[in-house]
């Protein structure tokens, strides 16, 4: 069910206020895509915390995202901040390193970074390419927050 909105008229403008008691349905496919990724990051990162460390807080998740991975970094950061609530990752930074699209021409073996939407060899104009990188979506590392000395006393 969609959240209900209440319209308020003010001078020359209309404002909509979300009814916070109704469940929220996200209509944007981009937000839904990033939310699914954010939930997977939380699941993987939480499962990666060694049990012998006990209750720890994750300070930072380092992510590598290729330009062809169809991820909008700002949307992913927003979704991550929502998905981490009440988890060991609550308040953690999501550091995203964007990786370029690297290609190799199968005809002449030239390698280059693709910076525009033309997937054609810059040397021989062949369209027979191999994408070497740019599709990645990898958790590179997870950083555990240092224990506060006041907490251990």
């Amino acid at each position: 069910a969609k959240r209900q909105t209440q319209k308020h008229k003010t001078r020359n403008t209309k404002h909509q206020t979300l009814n916070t008691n109704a469940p929220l349905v996200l209509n944007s496919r981009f937000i839904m895509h990033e939310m699914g990724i954010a939930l997977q990051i939380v699941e993987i990162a939480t499962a990666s915390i060694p049990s012998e460390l006990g209750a720890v807080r994750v300070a930072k998740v380092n992510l590598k995202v290729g330009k062809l991975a169809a991820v909008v970094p700002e949307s992913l950061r927003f979704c991550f901040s929502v998905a981490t609530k009440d988890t060991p990752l609550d308040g953690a930074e999501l550091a995203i390193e964007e990786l370029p699209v690297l290609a190799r021409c199968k005809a002449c073996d030239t390698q280059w970074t693709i910076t525009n939407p033309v997937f054609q060899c810059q040397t021989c104009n062949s369209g027979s390419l191999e994408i070497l990188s740019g599709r990645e979506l990898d958790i590179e590392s997870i950083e555990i927050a240092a224990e506060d000395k006041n907490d251990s006393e």
Side-chain angles (χ1 to χ4, degrees):
K2 290 186 179 182
R3 276 193 179 179
Q4 299 169 351
T5 59
Q6 298 173 352
K7 294 183 181 180
H8 303 283
K9 290 185 180 180
T10 60
R11 292 191 340 208
N12 300 327
T13 60
K14 289 183 183 178
H15 296 279
Q16 291 187 345
T17 305
L18 288 175
N19 175 354
T20 56
N21 296 324
L24 175 64
V25 174
L26 299 173
N27 293 323
S28 169
R29 70 176 179 88
F30 294 112
I31 294 294
M32 291 302 289
H33 173 70
E34 274 77 6
M35 184 56 81
I37 293 169
L39 291 169
Q40 286 292 305
I41 292 169
V42 171
E43 182 180 325
I44 292 167
T46 302
S48 299
I49 299 171
S51 58
E52 61 269 10
L53 292 180
V56 296
R57 189 179 70 77
V58 174
K60 186 176 185 181
V61 176
N62 297 299
L63 195 66
K64 289 191 174 188
V65 178
K67 294 269 189 188
L68 292 178
V71 173
V72 178
E74 294 76 25
S75 295
L76 182 56
R77 282 189 186 95
F78 170 77
C79 292
F80 181 79
S81 69
V82 172
T84 58
K85 295 293 182 210
D86 300 324
T87 73
L89 285 85
D90 197 349
E93 175 189 353
L94 181 63
I96 300 174
E97 178 186 351
E98 290 188 81
L99 301 175
V101 179
L102 298 177
R104 182 186 67 79
C105 177
K106 292 180 180 179
C108 71
D109 210 34
T110 299
Q111 290 186 18
W112 73 99
T113 300
I114 296 177
T115 57
N116 54 39
V118 178
F119 284 68
Q120 187 175 29
C121 179
Q122 295 176 334
T123 303
C124 72
N125 294 325
S126 170
S128 180
L129 308 177
E130 175 185 5
I131 302 298
L132 302 175
S133 72
R135 295 185 186 117
E136 299 83 358
L137 182 54
D138 301 322
I139 297 174
E140 186 68 17
S141 64
I142 300 165
E143 299 177 21
I144 304 297
E147 188 176 311
D148 189 1
K149 291 180 183 179
N150 294 332
D151 290 345
S152 61
E153 294 175 1

